[in-house]
Amino acid sequence: MATEVIYFEMGLYRAALPVRLRYADVHFWFDLEAVPGRTRCGLTSYAARLLDDVFRLDWAVQAGEDLGEAAPLGTIESHKACSELYAPMAGKLAAINEDVVAEPGRIQRDPYVAWLLEFEGAPGESMDAEQYRAFLAEGWEETQRLLKGQL
Amino acid sequence: MAGTETKQNGSAAVVVLSRVPAEELSESLRAQHDALSAALGGAGIAFRVVDSVYDQYEDDADVKALRAHAGDLVFLGWHFPRATKWILARQGLEVNGATRKLHCIDARELKAEQVVLKVRDILKGAASAEVVAIRKEPPADGLTPRQRGELAEAALPNPENAELSARWYPVVDYDACTNCMECLDFCLFGVYGVDPAGTLRVVQQDECRTDCPACSRVCPVGAIVFPKYKTNRSIAGGEDDGDRGSLKLDLSKIFGKPKARHQAALERDRELLKAGRKPASAEKIEKLAEEFDQTDL
């Protein structure tokens, strides 16, 4: 995919942020063009880097459910971390990518191809790649403190 | 399927090995259970095997047998020790040391040989696995409900005498509970109630929504335990986050975890919707609108 990309520097790692996508502050990307009338979303390379090698993705929601903004979605687990996930937008959940549930390691390998969910409609709020990068930069100190504090 | 029991002379301890709850029975836990069974047998330690006590009802055979045993118990289970302790309390066993010592070991966390060594030391009186109360400060009156003279919590009889199946409900840690009733106010499924003495009880445990831990998040002292909850150690009765090196990084804050109370409300709304009811926030708004309509302006 020949896509324009900007980068956020996470120490030695550079998190790629494709310019054509929109972003949510819970570290999901939105693709508004993949499926007409829907928003496809997945975790950003920043999120994938924090989690590292994901081996379990456990959704507590099903396609067809109406979800509010920040509704709990389920859990994600890698060898070094786990997290609950929260809805990046409100709306009806249209589809879950079962291929990634079966093989969650794809999130780490190719976060912008391994989409997770599709919602009906478009997100109320989102950021472009530049805004998301600025958002990451703003929170980076605190994120590092959180990571270190827990270790 | 019980192993041989130890001598019944007053304080003789019984070693109890729980089966793994059916829905948690992975290959590795099955192997761990079998290894433990073999290692205990190999070491000449008598033990008794019981079905998951959390999933049983109060009139099921293993629960009755445990209640009837008067001496110390060394319980090897598949939950955090604090969860195991209060599951046993819920099943009517005395657990606070008045008449017996209760030792709880989380069989997930140790190798079979380590468990056997620990059990042997406990039986010799050289070690302990008694569960220490988590409460750091005493409640306002200095007494927990249990210390106010309450007995063990009453579990319910099995309504249809059904087969043992996976269950989900809260167990209350009465070493910590201050009887504040936040959980009773919060839960809209009628799980909680109050007994004649005014003590909080889990009265309709099977009304609880599977996998919903919301009331545990609103408890100000962390007294509500869901032994089978997976993503948060303290809700499952484990030690608080940040306590152990073995703990995985919890990135939930980074991924948008709301404050506990807000998250609990979201989880409750989800369960209300699943049950065909309106979210609590909507219920409240409608009620206000109704009251407003009735006012004569």
Side-chain angles (χ1 to χ4, degrees):
Chain A
M1 246 194 309
T3 319
E4 197 191 331
V5 163
I6 61 173
Y7 292 94
F8 175 70
E9 308 283 342
M10 307 168 67
L12 295 175
Y13 180 83
R14 306 173 80 198
L17 311 173
V19 170
R20 69 175 194 90
L21 300 173
R22 307 284 305 177
Y23 296 88
D25 59 3
V26 292
H27 308 293
F28 274 81
W29 50 263
F30 295 125
D31 186 342
L32 304 167
E33 288 146 22
V35 185
R38 289 188 179 178
T39 300
R40 178 173 277 190
C41 50
L43 292 174
T44 66
S45 59
Y46 174 86
R49 172 65 180 173
L50 290 183
L51 286 160
D52 216 353
D53 50 347
V54 176
F55 67 90
R56 194 173 66 88
L57 184 57
D58 211 354
W59 296 118
V61 290
Q62 292 173 349
E65 272 186 55
D66 271 314
L67 298 174
E69 177 112 33
L73 297 176
T75 56
I76 190 164
E77 187 173 356
S78 67
H79 286 286
K80 70 170 192 189
C82 62
S83 181
E84 300 180 26
L85 295 178
Y86 303 92
M89 62 181 274
K92 182 178 277 230
L93 185 61
I96 291 176
N97 189 349
E98 297 294 345
D99 291 347
V100 174
V101 175
E103 202 195 331
R106 292 178 51 195
I107 295 170
Q108 166 76 5
R109 290 203 300 278
D110 208 345
Y112 298 106
V113 174
W115 62 275
L116 302 181
L117 306 167
E118 282 174 3
F119 286 85
E120 302 280 1
E125 280 176 46
S126 65
M127 293 178 267
D128 65 22
E130 285 289 354
Q131 288 167 325
Y132 180 56
R133 179 164 68 177
F135 170 77
L136 294 181
E138 199 179 307
W140 184 231
E141 285 288 321
E142 191 172 344
T143 299
Q144 285 177 297
R145 268 204 300 280
L146 179 75
L147 299 181
K148 285 173 190 155
Q150 283 195 356
L151 281 170
Chain B
M1 292 241 230
T4 43
E5 273 184 46
T6 50
K7 291 169 284 184
Q8 293 273 353
N9 59 355
S11 67
V14 164
V15 178
V16 179
L17 172 61
S18 171
R19 294 197 178 90
V20 182
E23 82 278 22
E24 321 224 325
L25 191 56
S26 61
E27 281 303 313
S28 63
L29 286 191
R30 184 195 301 274
Q32 171 73 345
H33 180 275
D34 294 349
L36 256 177
S37 180
L40 287 166
I45 297 174
F47 64 101
R48 178 186 183 104
V49 179
V50 298
D51 278 329
S52 160
V53 176
Y54 181 76
D55 293 308
Q56 292 187 53
Y57 286 84
E58 68 162 353
D59 48 5
D60 286 339
D62 288 332
V63 167
K64 274 192 190 160
L66 287 177
R67 245 192 332 257
H69 172 71
D72 294 356
L73 277 186
V74 183
F75 196 99
L76 314 179
W78 309 91
H79 304 297
F80 290 111
R82 188 162 74 95
T84 295
K85 171 177 175 174
W86 294 104
I87 291 168
L88 292 171
R90 171 150 191 89
Q91 297 290 13
L93 275 77
E94 196 284 311
V95 297
N96 264 5
T99 62
R100 72 156 109 225
K101 279 189 178 168
L102 171 69
H103 301 273
C104 300
I105 295 175
D106 183 349
R108 299 169 302 181
E109 297 210 327
L110 297 170
K111 290 210 170 81
E113 307 80 66
Q114 295 172 300
V115 174
V116 169
L117 288 177
K118 189 153 188 186
V119 168
R120 187 180 274 156
D121 283 349
I122 291 169
L123 294 176
K124 280 194 297 200
S128 170
E130 287 184 79
V131 180
V132 184
I134 58 161
R135 168 181 292 289
K136 287 166 188 100
E137 289 174 22
D141 63 0
L143 296 172
T144 64
R146 183 161 293 272
Q147 289 164 331
R148 286 188 205 105
E150 298 301 326
L151 296 170
E153 198 179 8
L156 297 179
N158 185 342
E160 301 109 26
N161 225 7
E163 293 274 294
L164 190 66
S165 60
R167 298 176 69 206
W168 179 270
Y169 56 87
V171 289
V172 178
D173 176 347
Y174 285 106
D175 281 340
C177 175
T178 62
N179 223 28
C180 73
M181 305 295 164
E182 286 276 339
C183 52
L184 186 145
D185 285 344
F186 181 81
C187 174
L188 296 176
F189 292 95
V191 171
Y192 295 99
V194 176
D195 70 7
T199 304
L200 174 86
R201 297 288 184 211
V202 175
V203 292
Q204 298 199 75
Q205 56 192 14
D206 290 341
E207 291 299 311
C208 188
R209 318 310 289 184
T210 300
D211 294 339
C212 177
C215 58
S216 177
R217 299 187 201 279
V218 303
C219 175
V221 293
I224 297 174
V225 175
F226 285 93
K228 293 178 178 175
Y229 193 64
K230 290 284 181 297
T231 45
N232 181 309
R233 290 172 65 103
S234 52
I235 288 177
E239 296 184 29
D240 269 351
D241 292 350
D243 239 66
R244 290 271 179 87
S246 64
L247 180 68
K248 284 192 181 185
L249 273 172
D250 182 359
L251 298 178
S252 298
K253 267 187 207 154
I254 290 172
F255 285 96
K257 181 189 184 121
K259 294 242 186 315
R261 210 178 167 92
H262 180 53
Q263 184 173 9
L266 292 172
E267 284 166 342
R268 181 179 62 184
D269 280 356
R270 185 173 75 200
E271 298 305 326
L272 286 166
L273 275 170
K274 273 196 213 159
R277 292 167 59 179
K278 294 203 174 79
S281 40
E283 275 179 7
K284 205 176 275 173
I285 289 164
E286 278 184 12
K287 206 167 153 203
L288 285 173
E290 214 167 274
E291 283 168 15
F292 183 76
D293 286 343
Q294 283 163 4
T295 50
D296 200 16
L297 290 177

